[in-house]
Amino acid sequence: MIAFAEWFIGLFQQGAQVFVGLLTGIIPLVIVLMTAVNALIALIGQERVDKLGEFAARPGWIYTPLRYIVLPFVAVFFLTNPMAYTMGRFLPERLKPAFYDAAVSYVHPPLGIFPHINPGELFVWLGIAQGVQAGYGDSTMINLAVRYLLIGLVVIFIRGIVTERITAYMWNPAEAEAESDHYASAY
Amino acid sequence: MRKFLETIGRGAGRVVGVLYQAGRDSVDQAIKNIIPFMAFIAFIIGIINGTGVGPAIANALRPLAGNVIGMIVLSLIVGLPVLSPLLGPGAVIAQIIGTLLGTTFFATRTLPASMALPALFAINPQVGCDFIPVGLALGEAEPYTVEVGVPAVLFSRMVTGPLAVILAWLASFGLS
């Protein structure tokens, strides 16, 4: 009986130890980092971010890296999840799904270095990262964080282009026109 | 002189205000979003470590998460257009699978650290698939755009999900 009670409470003692480890090891860093970045964002202001959105909306292949790498990065960095997707409003309708795809796919890759982007889903990164930190040490975890951030950029670029192609394939100009007229006349 | 002092004073006041608000926002975030999830994760890890079911979980996950081919299959399954919107909300599934992998494979050094990079992409091809209509609406999209955009993104993930795992695997060489 007593042995069982000890074992039972031991389960939660293990959990409590992990919890304290997370609280002292990660929370202070995340809070200080988020404070610095939040202040920076507030001082820079949203108007400047909006300008980039207008610029990225230009047509042409040359602008695809701007649309699916730079704009999503800036959007998630400055506006964070979920407000980052509002940057889609600068783009023409048929590019909006591709931009959303690229932006939403970049709310996790930078979490190792910029946790302010999506603090509510920190463990998409941290679940694996704290295992890596425990098994292989701090510098390996930071190496992983940097690679995750960089490969994320390549992945969202490909996602943007693939989704743009698929959307273009499914897009029916007549239907799009008819619907927008329909909704315009409804007002 | 008075004007100068006033400018300095106002500037300093603004910066202090911004910093204070930034600090308040981050503490709020930590208390409302981060710490509750940490409690949940700590509980899961505690159970795994305390009961010693870690090796059993590792064995169960090994076919899908113990090697690159498995991870590609995992990303294909999670990225299926029928499943991805169901698995998306709050990224809870990705966070739990990630924690299981972290605790059983990487903390115990069962898998090399380099496998963590493809794993990060393999657990997450469904990111945002539950949120497409809302995300597009935030971008002021027309209803027709949503109608086309939802399947476009879902189908795109079937291709780009596994592709991301392969890219991450290629980029993981030398990670230690």
Side-chain angles (χ1 to χ4, degrees), chain A residues 35 93 100-101 108 136 147 163, chain B residues 26 111 124 128 145 156-157 171:
Chain A
T35 303
E93 287 294 319
Y100 169 75
D101 199 3
H108 298 129
Y136 296 90
R147 289 188 196 217
T163 307
Chain B
S26 8
L111 276 187
N124 209 19
T145 311
S156 162
R157 291 298 171 84

Side-chain angles (χ1 to χ4, degrees), chain B residues 26-39:
Chain B
S26 8
V27 172
D28 262 7
Q29 284 279 12
I31 289 173
K32 279 194 200 135
N33 293 322
I34 305 178
I35 294 179
F37 213 87
M38 278 185 171

Side-chain angles (χ1 to χ4, degrees), chain B residues 11-24:
Chain B
R14 175 161 183 262
V15 170
V16 169
V18 164
L19 282 172
Y20 183 64
Q21 187 57 39
R24 196 195 327 235

Side-chain angles (χ1 to χ4, degrees), chain A:
Chain A
M1 184 72 191
I2 288 170
F4 174 79
E6 268 178 0
W7 173 83
F8 180 78
I9 207 70
L11 286 184
F12 299 101
Q13 275 167 345
Q14 289 258 5
Q17 258 172 28
V18 174
F19 187 58
V20 170
L22 291 171
L23 278 183
T24 56
I26 288 159
I27 290 287
L29 180 70
V30 168
I31 286 183
V32 175
L33 203 63
M34 285 203 320
T35 303
V37 178
N38 285 344
L40 180 77
I41 292 168
L43 290 172
I44 287 178
Q46 184 163 356
E47 306 82 47
R48 276 170 229 201
V49 182
D50 284 356
K51 281 209 182 98
L52 179 75
E54 288 161 24
F55 193 66
R58 298 177 185 195
W61 268 96
I62 315 144
Y63 290 99
T64 48
L66 196 60
R67 231 173 14 240
Y68 304 130
I69 297 179
V70 180
L71 188 61
F73 180 85
V74 172
V76 298
F77 186 87
F78 286 100
L79 305 178
T80 75
N81 179 47
M83 291 317 283
Y85 318 128
T86 58
M87 290 300 280
R89 70 185 187 280
F90 295 109
L91 299 174
E93 287 294 319
R94 62 199 163 71
L95 300 182
K96 284 178 183 176
F99 170 75
Y100 169 75
D101 199 3
V104 83
S105 298
Y106 208 63
V107 297
H108 298 129
L111 284 181
I113 298 165
F114 302 120
H116 73 282
I117 288 175
N118 200 358
E121 298 172 2
L122 205 53
F123 274 86
V124 174
W125 149 255
L126 211 51
I128 287 180
Q130 46 98 16
V132 170
Q133 188 182 28
Y136 296 90
D138 282 350
S139 66
T140 307
M141 186 185 75
I142 290 164
N143 189 335
L144 181 68
V146 173
R147 289 188 196 217
Y148 191 28
L149 181 142
L150 293 176
I151 295 302
L153 289 175
V154 181
V155 168
I156 63 169
F157 182 52
I158 295 172
R159 256 182 206 167
I161 288 175
V162 172
T163 307
E164 185 184 311
R165 294 281 99 193
I166 296 178
T167 313
Y169 180 74
M170 294 167 67
W171 195 265
N172 182 338
E175 253 183 273
E177 195 59 32
E179 280 236 359
S180 87
D181 283 353
H182 174 72
Y183 280 93
S185 62
Y187 287 105

Side-chain angles (χ1 to χ4, degrees), chain B residues 2 94 96 115 123 147 150 175:
Chain B
R2 209 175 111 192
I96 292 174
M115 289 301 284
I123 61 172
E147 212 175 285
V150 172
L175 174 67

